[in-house]
Amino acid sequence: MERLRPRPFPPEDSPCGWLEPLPQGPAARPLEGDTTADLVIVGAGFTGLAAARRAAELGRRTVVLDAQRAGGSASGRSSGFVVDLAGFTKALGGEATEASIRLARRGIAELRATVTAAAIDCDWDDRGWLHVAAGDAGERDLRDLEAWLTSRRETFESLDAGAMRAVTGTGYYRAGLRMTGRPLLDAGKLVRGLATTLPAGVELHEESPVHQMQREGASWRVQTARGSVVAPRVIVAVNGGAPRFGLLGRQVFPLITFGSLTRPLTADEQVALGGEREWGVLAQDPMGSSVRRTRDQRLLIRNSAFYSRTLEVPETVLDRAVVAHRRSLVARFPQLAHVEFAHCWSGIMGATPRRSPFFGELSPGLYAAAGYTGAGIALGTSAGIGLAELAAGVTGDIPRDFSLLPVPARQPPEPFLSWGIRWTVGRMNRSGGPVL
């Protein structure tokens, strides 16, 4: 691991509906020439930006590199559910469950504090998104989740079919649990806001893909097309893209998920829909969909997953996902069957079979976190803070809590790896865990 040559990422298949409407902001400033720093962070998503903020607090001169614009990949393409409690959290079991909850809640608290202090407009909504059920299997799963939440004395609101219709405007759902106080937000606005309010001591260089990383004595040289940074510590924060760097290729796999967002609803269409003006639901049902009604009155449908070792998404695969999204929209809102999608996109999610992320030091001075399996807004934020502390030699609660989570198991080599991942993705599609 003394030299890494990342394979280029394929271009994104289509503009993301969260990011495209945002103002362009200042032009990107690619890295030019050779420089030094205390820390290099590769990736300007939730993990990388949180690491940069914490490193600045610790007095480290930090350079952040991103191949695109900040948040242009997975972070800005998230559906905006900030999760601390879900079925996969419960499934970790015992001490690992408690550690995962603490990590997620630390991430939420840090984001809330940053959004408030930096006045970031990201449609933050603390009323709570909902776990929902539409069929028998989903309702059984929902009741199991409700019993667990009750045993923990967690705050939530149980809704029957009528109450669900009052929230969503559809009779599609039998029941739901409103997760009071769990944020729902616009991930594109949030990640762009985090990038544009970085503290002094952090240099952000966008449109600067890393071509090579190699050890030089006690330091690492990180090279881009037009420059390089030499630093004793490097954090790789690219989540599902880690295997493209030659890292964690048998522990974390990239999972491609898909979202479609309608145009804004007209005033008449909003009346026809009814319900609350802003909400989000995560399905407990097999093959269920994540659905949102956004503050600017658009509807989001998110479902389907696809594995691509190269991260390339054939047009036919995206087309099939859009067909599935259309079916989901019409099934829930037949009165809005005529409303077209304005944006359809894919995004790379880092996944592990047990939904437990990797966190730690891979080689002297080289750190990474990856594999949040859809819950990366909160967990990724905590991971970034923890990696910055680990790299600085600071003892903190976050590294300790990550050490309590199961380490992602090493998977078999190729071609068995791809066969196993495709089988796992098929099982995930069939079991219908929420796509966030």
Side-chain angles (χ1 to χ4, degrees), residues 45-47 49-51 53-54 57 80-85 98-116 120 122 124 126 181-185 190 194 359 372 375-387 389 397-399 401-402:
F46 289 117
T47 299
L49 295 173
R53 272 190 151 76
R54 182 63 177 132
E57 292 173 352
F81 295 84
V82 190
V83 176
D84 64 339
L85 296 167
E98 299 307 315
S100 181
I101 293 170
R102 286 194 298 271
L103 288 166
R105 289 180 174 171
R106 172 69 182 273
I108 293 170
E110 294 288 344
L111 284 172
R112 182 179 280 112
T114 301
V115 165
T116 300
I120 297 173
C122 60
W124 187 289
D126 270 324
R182 278 71 179 195
L184 190 65
L185 49 81
L190 174 58
L194 293 171
F359 172 95
Y372 310 119
I377 298 179
L379 284 178
T381 297
S382 279
I385 296 168
L387 288 177
E389 293 177 346
D397 293 340
I398 290 177
D401 278 337
F402 270 110

Side-chain angles (χ1 to χ4, degrees), residues 263-288:
R263 59 165 172 77
L265 302 179
T266 67
D268 288 344
E269 288 164 348
Q270 293 173 43
V271 171
L273 175 56
E276 296 180 3
R277 290 184 58 81
E278 187 177 1
W279 48 264
V281 302
L282 296 177
Q284 298 298 117
D285 303 271
M287 295 303 292

Side-chain angles (χ1 to χ4, degrees), residues 299-321:
L299 292 173
L300 168 78
I301 304 288
R302 187 149 187 172
N303 59 38
S304 306
F306 174 71
Y307 170 67
S308 169
R309 186 181 175 191
T310 65
L311 305 185
E312 294 178 346
V313 180
E315 189 173 342
T316 54
V317 173
L318 182 60
D319 289 343
R320 285 201 300 270

Side-chain angles (χ1 to χ4, degrees), residues 136-208:
D136 291 341
E139 190 162 17
R140 286 193 298 271
D141 204 35
L142 189 74
R143 295 312 169 201
D144 181 62
L145 179 62
E146 182 176 20
W148 179 62
L149 295 173
T150 300
S151 72
R152 293 182 53 84
R153 299 184 179 179
E154 298 288 351
T155 301
F156 66 92
E157 180 185 1
S158 184
L159 305 177
D160 61 15
M164 283 301 306
R165 181 187 286 274
V167 172
T168 63
T170 176
Y172 187 84
Y173 300 111
R174 292 185 183 181
L177 304 176
R178 189 192 286 273
M179 304 300 291
T180 312
R182 278 71 179 195
L184 190 65
L185 49 81
D186 185 316
K189 289 182 178 179
L190 174 58
V191 74
R192 288 285 173 85
L194 293 171
T196 56
T197 58
L198 285 170
V202 178
E203 292 183 22
L204 172 61
H205 296 284
E206 300 167 294
E207 298 180 3
S208 300

